Amino acid sequence: MEEKEILRQLKTSFFQLYGEGEVRIFFAPGRVNLIGEHTDYNGGHVFPCALTIGTYAAVRLREDRRVRFSSMNLQAGEITEVSLEEAFEAKTGDWTNYPKGVFWAFEEAGHKIESGMDLLYYGNIPAGSGLSSSASLEVLTGLVLKEMLGLKEVSQQDLAVLGQKAECDFVGMKCGIMDQFASAMGKKDAAIFLETNKMEFDYLPLALEQAKIVITNSLVKHELASSEYNVRRQECEQAVRFLNKELKIQTLGQLTCEQFEEKKHLIPDEIIQKRAKHAVYENQRTIQAVEALKKKDIEAFGRLMNASHISLRDDYAVSCPEIDVLTELAWKISGVQGSRITGGGFGGCTVSIVKDEAIDTFQKEISKAYEEKYGKVPEFYIVSAGEGAHEIVND
Ligand code: GLA
């Protein structure tokens, strides 16, 4: 659905649900990560860009302290209503935990929420696709609170931090900062090279020399993601403890590959050693990939993407058979510069760099082979990097 039509439907439904009157509309995008996977909570580098799909919210303040949440993606007219106090506490296991978690994170950080509000959401990121629908919902809710309540002290970057806090400490998925950061700080036609330790970042134009970024959705929902994700995180923390018998590091991102090779014998558990190897090597690959992009060496960038996938598949064990099939098919097609799993893993999407003239073949060949094997046709999205979270005015 075109944005114009989304906005029209959002307003019509908002008025039907909550009555006619003033309304403001906000948007926060999803993201795709080009390289640097499972490095963010390891103090390493990531290289995502914001998408042009994401989550919208129509909002109006209320006179009282009630908050009403509804979503156009669910049963029409279904409303979850809570008092402000309940919004800070309740964890009922439904989708409103994401926005509620942000209300809670704002309060925890000392930003007072003194007014109730009516909210209607609509998202066009396919659910469970690993393109950060939850981060976009969190960052969006943060932006709504900042703008509707006039919280000038909250910066765009704070929206990322508060969204991450909601996800980690309210929802319980111990994620890194990448998704919320990309959603809050994205820039049109650029990817973000972010160092997650000092939170230093740079925007790089996505100049791909007659090629495009293509996302392929395996249609496998990444349901295992949060539990296995938390396990991976613990395994990396365990690796740091082993290495610190001789080293003094806080995160795996502090090590070069050579330093890791020299000290890896300190990690007695083979599986934990593999996890650590991925975190260290993937961080170095991300730095190299950005160097390659700066030199317009897209082939080198693509080779690093492929290596990233192999490492995520074999050492980090966050891929799945369907995604491996998608990448292997892509690697065989001439004109594909690189292809890998993107996001948290266990399903979701691959990201590929495909030369313009090969895009048709890419979609046809992969659809055919994937359908033959799994009985379903994957979805493709050609990416343009979009702006971070913002209000939509004067549509
Ligand atoms: C999820 C998390 C991110 C990041 C990726 C893996 O998307 O939310 O913080 O760790 O997985 O790179």
Side-chain angles (χ1 to χ4, degrees):
M1 201 172 8
E2 294 259 319
E3 183 164 85
K4 229 175 151 189
E5 180 56 19
I6 294 175
L7 299 177
R8 196 191 63 75
Q9 289 194 20
L10 196 59
K11 279 187 185 165
T12 311
S13 309
F14 185 90
F15 294 144
Q16 275 166 6
L17 269 182
Y18 301 127
E20 298 279 332
E22 293 268 305
V23 64
R24 285 170 74 180
I25 297 186
F26 301 88
F27 171 76
R31 65 92 191 92
V32 63
N33 189 23
L34 302 177
I35 193 160
E37 214 68 83
H38 291 275
T39 45
D40 59 353
Y41 53 87
N42 282 308
H45 295 74
V46 291
F47 193 47
C49 65
L51 299 170
T52 49
I53 52 173
T55 315
Y56 295 81
V59 197
R60 182 192 297 151
L61 286 183
R62 295 172 56 93
E63 305 274 301
D64 57 13
R65 294 173 62 79
R66 309 296 295 171
V67 184
R68 293 195 283 179
F69 298 105
S70 190
S71 165
M72 272 170 55
N73 296 83
L74 302 171
Q75 190 92 28
E78 207 176 278
I79 296 177
T80 303
E81 180 172 341
V82 291
S83 70
L84 270 181
E85 289 64 31
E86 286 162 345
F88 305 147
E89 285 161 21
K91 295 188 191 184
T92 46
D94 68 283
W95 72 274
T96 62
N97 275 347
Y98 293 95
K100 281 180 193 162
V102 177
F103 276 64
W104 168 83
F106 267 63
E107 276 286 312
E108 284 283 295
H111 308 297
K112 285 270 158 272
I113 303 173
E114 299 289 6
S115 168
M117 57 188 84
D118 289 331
L119 297 116
L120 176 64
Y121 291 94
Y122 171 73
N124 56 3
I125 302 174
S129 61
L131 301 175
S132 294
S133 54
S134 42
S136 79
L137 179 51
E138 290 152 1
V139 169
L140 173 66
T141 306
L143 179 68
V144 163
L145 293 179
K146 168 184 158 66
E147 293 297 329
M148 297 302 288
L149 305 170
L151 302 172
K152 292 209 173 56
E153 72 280 13
V154 178
S155 70
Q156 196 76 9
Q157 197 167 323
D158 291 338
L159 298 180
V161 174
L162 292 163
Q164 183 201 18
K165 188 171 170 58
E167 176 109 26
C168 284
D169 300 335
F170 199 89
V171 178
M173 151 103 175
K174 302 288 179 195
C175 66
I177 190 68
M178 169 170 73
D179 304 351
Q180 290 81 3
F181 196 90
S183 180
M185 303 290 288
K187 205 172 181 165
K188 191 170 171 349
D189 299 328
I192 313 171
F193 184 40
L194 168 69
E195 194 272 2
T196 58
N197 202 19
K198 299 202 201 88
M199 293 296 285
E200 288 171 354
F201 63 97
D202 219 349
Y203 292 105
L204 259 93
L206 271 178
L208 294 179
E209 312 282 300
Q210 279 93 51
K212 301 249 173 340
I213 298 165
V214 183
I215 295 174
T216 308
N217 188 349
S218 69
L219 305 177
V220 177
K221 291 196 177 175
H222 67 157
E223 269 145 12
L224 248 182
S226 58
S227 55
E228 278 298 311
Y229 183 96
N230 291 349
V231 172
R232 292 296 172 284
R233 195 167 174 153
Q234 285 158 10
E235 287 166 339
C236 290
E237 285 161 5
Q238 182 61 48
V240 169
R241 284 194 288 276
F242 283 130
L243 291 167
N244 276 347
K245 273 186 233 148
E246 287 182 20
L247 297 172
K248 236 183 146 192
I249 53 169
Q250 278 79 48
T251 60
L252 294 168
Q254 287 169 269
L255 296 179
T256 62
C257 300
E258 294 70 29
Q259 286 167 331
F260 175 74
E261 290 301 327
E262 216 173 275
K263 297 292 179 191
K264 67 178 186 194
H265 63 273
L266 296 169
I267 307 175
D269 182 304
E270 201 190 320
I271 296 219
I272 295 187
Q273 198 180 109
K274 280 180 161 190
R275 308 296 192 241
K277 179 179 177 203
H278 168 78
V280 173
Y281 278 70
E282 179 76 355
N283 184 38
Q284 298 303 324
R285 269 192 292 271
T286 309
I287 298 169
Q288 289 165 17
V290 167
E291 281 310 308
L293 186 65
K294 283 183 183 160
K295 289 190 209 130
K296 299 197 188 317
D297 188 350
I298 310 299
E299 276 180 26
F301 191 95
R303 280 195 298 275
L304 289 158
M305 286 174 80
N306 297 348
S308 162
H309 183 76
I310 292 168
S311 174
L312 287 157
R313 182 190 68 191
D314 300 344
D315 288 337
Y316 219 64
V318 290
S319 190
C320 67
E322 291 86 345
I323 290 278
D324 292 338
V325 164
L326 285 178
T327 48
E328 275 148 33
L329 288 168
W331 293 340
K332 285 192 206 128
I333 297 170
S334 137
V336 172
Q337 313 278 57
S339 185
R340 57 182 286 278
I341 188 171
T342 186
F346 308 101
C349 295
T350 63
V351 58
S352 313
I353 298 185
V354 188
K355 287 205 169 147
D356 291 342
E357 73 265 13
I359 290 181
D360 249 12
T361 318
F362 179 87
Q363 299 195 5
K364 281 195 192 117
E365 285 190 11
I366 292 186
S367 297
K368 185 162 174 281
Y370 194 77
E371 189 179 13
E372 269 165 22
K373 199 163 169 69
Y374 294 113
K376 51 188 170 189
V377 182
E379 284 169 8
F380 300 92
Y381 324 106
I382 297 176
V383 172
S384 9
E387 283 294 327
H390 56 274
E391 180 165 9
I392 298 180
V393 244
N394 294 332
D395 51 285

